[in-house]
Amino acid sequence: MFSEIDTVVAARFKAAFRRYPTGVAVIAAAGPHGPVGLTASSVASVSADPPALSFSVIGSGSALAVLAAPGLTVNLLGPAQVALARDFARSGGPRFTPDQGWETLPTGEPMLPGAVASLRCAPLHQVPVGGSTVVVATVLEVFLGPPGGRLVHHDRRFHTHED
């Protein structure tokens, strides 16, 4: 149970992170009934040797299929992919449509060639934290997309950042 102090801290915590811009990615995996994916702004580099990254998800819907998958891709989005980020951020949004440009890797994971970069990963650890799960994954392959800007999330909105 949250105390009144905890409620104040939680509200200020959310306000603090609304002020902090983060990159935007779509985490995608091959699910039991087809590809699954979700928008994430919690992707972080963990280690360069061996290459590893982390992200967090709230355990419902597509997140459960992503958490159960043996492999996944982390697709770092660019400025032209605002609509895609919105589609994957909301429940019931169009996903993996032909016009979004997805391809399937030989290993089965969906990959977005138009992304700034796509990283094929294998999950190493899953740590439950509150209502979220933090995933640490080893990076198996990196596919660099076209050079250019990136998509960031700041104060509940998507923004583009050009080079």
Side-chain angles (χ1 to χ4, degrees), residues 16-100:
F17 273 89
R18 278 195 300 272
R19 296 177 180 189
Y20 185 71
T22 61
V24 180
V26 170
I27 312 295
H33 305 291
V36 294
L38 53 94
T39 299
S41 60
S42 60
V43 177
S45 169
V46 172
S47 170
D49 185 19
L53 57 79
S54 68
F55 62 90
S56 66
V57 297
I58 295 173
S60 64
S62 295
L64 294 176
V66 167
L67 291 172
L72 53 94
T73 59
V74 176
N75 301 275
L76 307 177
L77 301 185
Q81 295 163 322
V82 174
L84 181 100
R86 285 190 178 117
D87 289 342
F88 278 78
R90 69 177 191 268
S91 180
R95 297 178 182 194
F96 303 102
T97 63
D99 63 317
Q100 291 175 337

